[in-house]
Amino acid sequence: MQPKPDEIREMLSAIRLALRQDQQARPAQLAFFNEDSYLSYLWNLPCQGRTIGQAIEALSGCIPIMVSAQRLPALLLQYDQQRAISMAAQKEFLLQLAKSVENDARWDSLLATCIQISIGTVE
C-alpha cells in the first residue's frame, strides 16, 4: 500500500533527523572500511521505532530517480530484468539524498516530489 502524503513527509523528516543526529553524535575518528559498510551502518540506524532501512522500504514506491529522455527507453526495456538492482539503487539514492540535503527549500522540494510521485501527479 502506498503511503499517504503526510506519512511520506513524516518518514522522510524522521530519516533526515536520524541522519543529522547520527552525524552530530558519531565520533570524528570513526572510519568505515568502504562505502558499502557506511551505507549498511546508515541503513540500520534507529528511526522512529524502526530502522532507516525499514523507513526507506516503506517509501520505495515514491523514490525519485533522474533519467534523461534519451536513456528512458533503454531503462524501460531492462526494467523487468534489472528491477531488484534498480530498486536497491533507488533506495540507496534516497538515503544519500536525505543525508546530503541541508537547505530547507531543497528539502521541501524533495518532499513535494516524493508526494507527487506517490499520488501519480509527476509525468
Side-chain angles (χ1 to χ4, degrees):
M1 177 166 32
Q2 193 75 329
K4 295 178 183 173
D6 288 341
E7 294 170 327
I8 294 168
R9 186 175 290 107
E10 183 180 322
M11 280 191 270
L12 285 171
S13 295
I15 290 169
R16 184 181 192 202
L17 179 62
L19 291 169
R20 282 186 174 177
Q21 289 173 338
D22 174 68
Q23 190 173 21
Q24 293 171 350
R26 189 175 350 117
Q29 65 272 22
L30 181 63
F32 295 91
F33 182 68
N34 56 29
E35 188 173 352
D36 288 339
S37 62
Y38 177 60
L39 289 173
S40 178
Y41 166 80
L42 293 178
W43 196 259
N44 289 294
L45 286 174
C47 179
Q48 278 194 337
R50 56 174 100 182
T51 66
I52 286 179
Q54 291 167 329
I56 288 176
E57 285 288 333
L59 294 171
S60 63
C62 58
I63 297 172
I65 59 172
M66 297 173 61
V67 179
S68 69
Q70 294 83 9
R71 301 228 28 221
L72 184 59
L75 177 66
L76 292 175
L77 287 173
Q78 297 299 317
Y79 180 74
D80 289 333
Q81 298 163 359
Q82 299 295 323
R83 185 165 190 247
I85 294 169
S86 67
M87 289 303 289
Q90 289 175 34
K91 292 170 190 172
E92 182 179 317
F93 170 73
L94 180 61
L95 178 60
Q96 293 288 9
L97 189 59
K99 183 179 162 298
S100 66
V101 174
E102 294 177 8
N103 177 304
D104 286 339
R106 288 185 62 205
W107 180 254
D108 291 342
S109 178
L110 171 63
L111 289 174
T113 301
C114 290
I115 290 167
Q116 288 172 346
I117 290 169
S118 75
I119 60 176
T121 59
V122 172
E123 296 178 3

